[in-house]
Amino acid sequence: MLRFLRTRLQQGVRTGAFPGGAVELPDRFRGRPRLNASKCAQCERCAASGVSGLLTVTEQGRPLLDVGECRFAPEETAACPQGALRFTREHAMASRTREGLRSETGDVQLATALAQRTRKLFGRSLRLRSVSAGSCNGCEGELIVLGTVAYDMARFGIEFVASPRHADGILVTGAVSVNMREALMQTWAATADPRLVIAAGVCAIDGGAFRGSPEVSDGVPAELPVDLWIPGCPPHPLTLLDGLLRLLGRIESGEARPR
Ligand code: SF4
């Protein structure tokens, strides 16, 4: 027992400083994409590269960067001969609206807090039922990391629960396969009002690599009102936690402290 306690003391605090301080990210981290519109020749090589619909050209002839469609793959930036497209080190990119993920440069309308009345009803906690609706399990891997000592989301009162009856909302991953669609709808129906819908990962946002397949619904079905869109493939734990805390009004208001 004493040896155990000594080891724990030697290990010290392993939980990251976020959101109170900076978190060291590995060199390979690829954050929110950014477009230098003045360098973009609108040559459509991005679309031709076939990696995603990340960058398109509007009817007005302006580039449109959709962070929701980004797969954070090196091929996406490598396709641009001008070097106009690059990944930043910015982890914050969750938005309350799908439109908020689209812009000319990669700027995102970062998530705003839920209405005060809803937050009051939820109290100081947020319980979510995770629904893996055809995911490759990459997103689930990152959700599990949120519960580890490194991120410890429980210190903010955020937890995953086994039953939708105990949940304040659902967090959906995967492109929503035909076989999972009914289960997803039933899970949502079993969650009490007011309830949240969170789409995490490019698959849940718009189908990702499976988009257009008759076997998927191209992400969260339109019948479900999504409250938070979290880009990534998979989303980094920091991106997930940042989005959830913004939704709870605990970053915007400077209250990003444990319970
Ligand atoms: S977004 Fe990426 S990691 Fe998540 S389910 Fe889709 S392919 Fe897998």
Side-chain angles (χ1 to χ4, degrees):
M1 182 66 180
L2 279 176
R3 202 177 60 188
F4 172 75
L5 287 172
R6 193 171 59 235
T7 307
R8 284 296 294 112
L9 282 172
Q10 280 168 353
Q11 285 175 340
V13 177
R14 294 290 176 93
T15 306
F18 180 81
V23 172
E24 217 174 291
L25 291 163
D27 290 345
R28 64 179 183 280
F29 175 79
R30 288 189 286 273
R32 182 162 52 84
R34 182 145 201 93
L35 180 76
N36 183 338
S38 64
K39 278 190 183 176
C40 176
Q42 300 179 12
C43 56
E44 297 190 359
R45 276 186 63 159
C46 301
S49 73
V51 287
S52 77
L54 169 64
L55 185 58
T56 51
V57 178
T58 65
E59 281 175 10
Q60 292 74 36
R62 303 297 307 167
L64 184 68
L65 191 59
D66 187 349
V67 176
E69 290 228 18
C70 187
R71 295 176 204 167
F72 297 82
E75 293 84 355
E76 288 172 308
T77 49
C80 176
Q82 322 291 332
L85 192 58
R86 65 180 176 87
F87 289 111
T88 67
R89 306 277 298 164
E90 181 53 60
H91 66 267
M93 55 187 119
S95 184
R96 291 293 304 276
T97 64
R98 183 68 184 87
E99 207 44 47
L101 298 176
R102 297 184 179 110
S103 70
E104 199 167 291
T105 56
D107 287 338
V108 160
Q109 287 168 28
L110 289 176
T112 52
L114 292 164
Q116 194 148 12
R117 187 176 161 273
T118 312
R119 277 187 280 158
K120 211 171 166 188
L121 279 171
F122 289 161
R124 293 180 65 76
S125 68
L126 182 68
R127 311 237 154 155
L128 297 170
R129 176 68 167 90
S130 166
V131 183
S132 175
S135 160
C136 72
N137 275 355
C139 285
E140 282 67 34
E142 303 302 327
L143 294 177
I144 290 166
V145 171
L146 279 180
T148 64
V149 70
Y151 292 93
D152 189 19
M153 67 175 177
R155 70 198 148 122
F156 301 105
I158 308 171
E159 283 179 286
F160 289 113
V161 290
S163 168
R165 300 281 187 212
H166 303 156
D168 301 311
I170 57 174
L171 186 149
V172 187
T173 51
V176 187
S177 60
V178 170
N179 288 342
M180 274 302 294
R181 187 187 164 105
E182 183 57 26
L184 170 64
M185 300 309 282
Q186 286 189 19
T187 307
W188 181 67
T191 312
D193 261 331
R195 55 197 161 182
L196 301 176
V197 179
I198 298 169
V202 61
C203 288
I205 290 176
D206 78 349
F210 310 100
R211 188 174 183 183
S213 163
E215 299 303 323
V216 301
S217 303
D218 289 348
V220 177
E223 300 97 287
L224 298 190
V226 176
D227 297 283
L228 186 67
W229 304 84
I230 309 180
C233 182
H236 191 278
L238 267 187
T239 305
L240 289 160
L241 189 56
D242 178 88
L244 294 171
L245 291 178
R246 284 180 192 278
L247 197 63
L248 295 175
R250 298 181 69 180
I251 282 193
E252 189 185 56
S253 61
E255 284 175 25
R257 294 187 303 266
R259 283 192 303 175

